[in-house]
Amino acid sequence: MAMLEIRDLNKYFGGLAAIKDLNLDVFNSEIVGLIGPNGAGKTTFFNVITGVYPPTLGSVLFMNQDITGLKTYKIAQFKIARNFQDSILFMKLSVLDNVVAGFHGNYKKAEWKSFMYIPSARKEERAAKRKALEILEFMGLASLKDELAANLPHGHQRILGICIALATNPKLLLLDEPATGMNPEETSNLIMLVKRIRDNGITIILVEHDMQAVMNLCNRIVVLNYGRKIAEGLPDEITKNEEVIEAYLGREEDYF
Amino acid sequence: MLLKYKINSPLKRLIGLLSLGVILISLPFLIRSPYYLHLVIMACINIVLAMTFSLMFSAGLITLGAAAFWAIGAYASTVLVMNLGISFWLALPFAGMIAGIFAFAFGLIIVRTPGFIFVMETFVINMMVVHAFGHITQLGGWGGICGIPRPGAITIPFIYQITFATKIPYYYLILLILLMTVIVFYALHSSRIGTAWRSIKLNPGLAQTLGINLFRYRVMVFTIASAFAGLTGSFYAHYYETIEPETFIIFKSLYIQIYGILGGLNFYILGPTIGASIMTFAPEFLRITQEYEPIYTGSMLILLAIILPGGILSIPERISALSRQNKVKKVKQ
Amino acid sequence: MTTQLFIQLLVNGLASGMIYVMAASGLILVLGVARIFNFAHGEFYMLGAYGVFAASILLNLNFTLSLVLSMVIVGGFAALCYGTTFHYIRGQLLQCAAASVGWSMLIKQVALLAFGTKERGIPSVFRGLIKIGDITLSKERLMVIPLCIIVMCGLYVFLMKTKTGKAMRAVRLDSEAASLQGIDVTRMYLVAMVMGCTLAGIAGGIIAPIFSVVPAMGHDMLTLVLLIIILGGAESELGAVVGGIVIGLFLSFGYFFFGGLTEVITFASVGAILIFRPGGLFGSVVEV
């Protein structure tokens, strides 16, 4: 049984089809790559799954539960996390506080207990802080924990975005172009980190343009063009797929 | 940022708190004039109101309606005591609850559109409430209600009976209310609820993806803030013994906002304290000539807004930023 | 209700409505282009009225010259406010609110000291009554309407056809893009503030012959203007026009039917409208 089942997904903006008749399964512990030229609908896909807007048609099932069209905060409660293309962070908070904020959905003790200074609740919060630090160490940002998020260089901000997503203890992680703006060294580092995340039992859907990252990481690749799925398969198959090559050759950028 | 300027040594903190406590407790006996004690009492009321503004601000909501809920609490308490014969001591918390319920009801509707529209909607609520009280003749209309009874006496067996004959018992009561508000609000700010509010303020979109239900937390902060404003309203009604709609007009809400801005918007407890105190005391001390006071107060506001947009409490930060700049200059030389 | 009464209420409503429209359009200009929340906007309205009073009574100028002189004074003062204060805190909503409240206190007190609390006014400019068919109307009130329409048309032409006007609209849409296109954004902010406050001043000047001029008149105008902007939508000029006229008419007829209850009903109605259209009648909502 697939962890994530997308059935006949359609998203129209006015008359424009951003996603058309998309069917997709994502299985536990895999890294699925989602590639395609700009405007193919990849970020729209993420937005629909995470409840930024509902699909026009179709359904999204997560762990056999219908999450179609639910609000973002509800979907977060299902343990689906994402990062954003533009670094979306709590800019005025420190790196550590950013990650701690991500724990919001993970506390077992009720909120009012936190307010009443009940020890068990406050203990949980201290534990959250420690876990946040662990995540930062895991992703290599621990030395910057007290730095203001706004002061971080761009590449670090992206990794911080992933850290925050990790803090929610997700089962499914949607990574939206995490390698954008990174130099080769940073990208290699990112690849290693993403592998580690998957090894920790988190399923990942990766949207990326950087082919090095995609080839290195993904078990399977799904290719979108103009909102439609035009190919799906193993990385080697995809690079040889004629339709895929044509879709990319039609654009200016040099991908392969 | 709550009490940013933390004194690290626990001994120093204890001494500081104790001295503050001693001063606060003995204040009525240090200030002989009932007029100045009245000012202190009004300052305390304004501090609480300003703190409710800051509470909402910490969640990203700017309100121009604080005075409306202050009014609802005042009128509710008056009706409870004068018409229903309930003791003030019961009416006080009830008034707060009633104000909170109104805020909850309004909140369900207006919290969906945060930002500028929310501010404007609280503005409309304030106007509605004031005009409603002005037109309901059973509530005294524009003339208001006078002769509101004082709080009932408190009898401590075998020791003492506290009657509210002078201002002094009122002072201790409002001090108690103020302290309670500080404790409750501090607990809220430092808890997970406060973290959720600040997340909503800093980046609502991101907060949502972390599972934070924006609607719920916004309604929560609106309700809690307004309930405390209502509580203060009850005290005010039975202290001043008169209430009239004019007191609660939109400009009061605006002033409450300014109390928060003046002290420093990033300081949720100290900021309102300083801002409300300045705005309560300064006009009195600037009353050099009765006629020129608004000019001085107005000028003070203008200057402070330009020079210290971060409020008074941003001064230490500005000084350290300046000294850092100077150090860089020196290094460059 | 007789036709006479109806027409009278209609004219009164339209006249006050047009005044509100002018004042509200002024604030929208300041708010939208310069992004300044000016709680002293009502005081500029008051200054305009006192300016006409002073020029008429003290300097013995005729109404037109008084109005022009008053405009110049109000505009100049607005420039002063901008240059000393708002230039530095522009864009910070709360700081602007605080500073403008400060200005409001200051201006009101100066007016109080200069002119006292006594109600002032100037004699009617358009004296007497006019008879249209069976209906008798006050010329003064009737003339308010075309006067305001002229001013509003002038504003429209300015915004749509002149280079500065178009530049201001560009700044309102996107100040960053506008500056990239070579528009002197700071100058636009200044112009917007001056124009916006002057519009309020003209409104005040026009009603000086009709209503009494007191230092407190700015406050009531401000609350009405804010209400109109809420009703019409904060960024929309069309909203200001429609909102102003609607409120003017509503209050005029409302007082006849509901008496003192009119204001409550007005606020409640605006509140109700906001539930269904949170952005106002013509505004847009960004929901998060």
Side-chain angles (χ1 to χ4, degrees), chain B residues 8-271:
Chain B
N8 283 320
S9 149
L11 182 64
K12 276 195 196 163
R13 250 192 275 182
L14 192 63
I15 296 179
L17 274 173
L18 278 177
S19 353
L20 186 65
V22 166
I23 295 178
L24 285 176
I25 293 178
S26 54
L27 202 63
F29 307 103
L30 299 172
I31 306 174
R32 283 317 175 116
S33 148
Y35 176 65
Y36 282 114
L37 193 59
H38 163 73
L39 276 186
V40 172
I41 294 174
M42 288 309 295
C44 290
I45 294 179
N46 288 333
I47 292 175
V48 176
L49 290 173
M51 285 203 288
T52 69
F53 173 84
S54 290
L55 193 79
M56 288 185 65
F57 184 76
S58 78
L61 291 175
I62 298 176
T63 173
L64 271 183
F69 297 97
W70 189 37
I72 292 178
Y75 274 91
S77 179
T78 306
V79 167
L80 285 172
V81 170
M82 288 179 82
N83 293 35
L84 297 178
I86 298 178
S87 148
F88 162 79
W89 301 102
L90 260 172
L92 181 67
F94 265 111
M97 278 192 266
I98 294 174
I101 292 173
F102 272 99
F104 182 75
F106 283 125
L108 289 177
I109 304 171
I110 69 176
V111 136
R112 294 177 192 281
T113 49
F116 188 71
I117 297 173
F118 179 82
V119 188
M120 293 290 105
E121 282 168 336
T122 58
F123 172 85
V124 174
I125 290 176
N126 197 332
M127 304 235 66
M128 265 200 311
V129 166
V130 169
H131 278 265
F133 283 137
H135 283 285
I136 301 177
T137 34
Q138 287 88 341
L139 290 177
W142 289 106
I145 306 175
C146 47
I148 304 177
R150 300 167 179 242
I154 314 170
T155 315
I156 307 175
F158 306 117
I159 303 178
Y160 200 57
Q161 189 185 54
I162 306 172
T163 48
F164 283 78
T166 66
K167 292 205 196 303
I168 298 184
Y170 281 110
Y171 165 74
Y172 287 117
L173 179 57
I174 191 65
L175 194 62
L176 219 63
I177 295 177
L178 176 57
L179 274 166
M180 186 189 69
T181 311
V182 169
I183 293 174
V184 170
F185 282 15
Y186 185 81
L188 281 170
H189 282 300
S190 65
S191 77
R192 249 192 281 146
I193 302 176
T195 312
W197 283 339
R198 286 189 296 278
S199 304
I200 297 177
K201 174 177 180 214
L202 286 174
N203 199 327
L206 180 58
Q208 270 183 319
T209 63
L210 302 179
I212 296 177
N213 182 348
L214 303 183
F215 180 76
R216 173 171 175 262
Y217 282 99
R218 284 173 172 152
V219 171
M220 191 194 296
V221 76
F222 191 29
T223 307
I224 297 176
S226 306
F228 276 84
L231 199 75
T232 319
S234 166
F235 171 86
Y236 175 76
H238 298 272
Y239 165 67
Y240 218 61
E241 297 173 71
T242 309
I243 52 175
E244 48 174 9
E246 257 322 283
T247 316
F248 307 103
I249 56 173
I250 191 72
F251 293 101
K252 179 67 187 179
S253 286
L254 202 50
Y255 276 30
I256 293 173
Q257 194 178 83
I258 293 180
Y259 302 158
I261 300 172
L262 212 57
L265 283 167
N266 288 322
F267 300 87
Y268 303 129
I269 308 266
L270 266 185

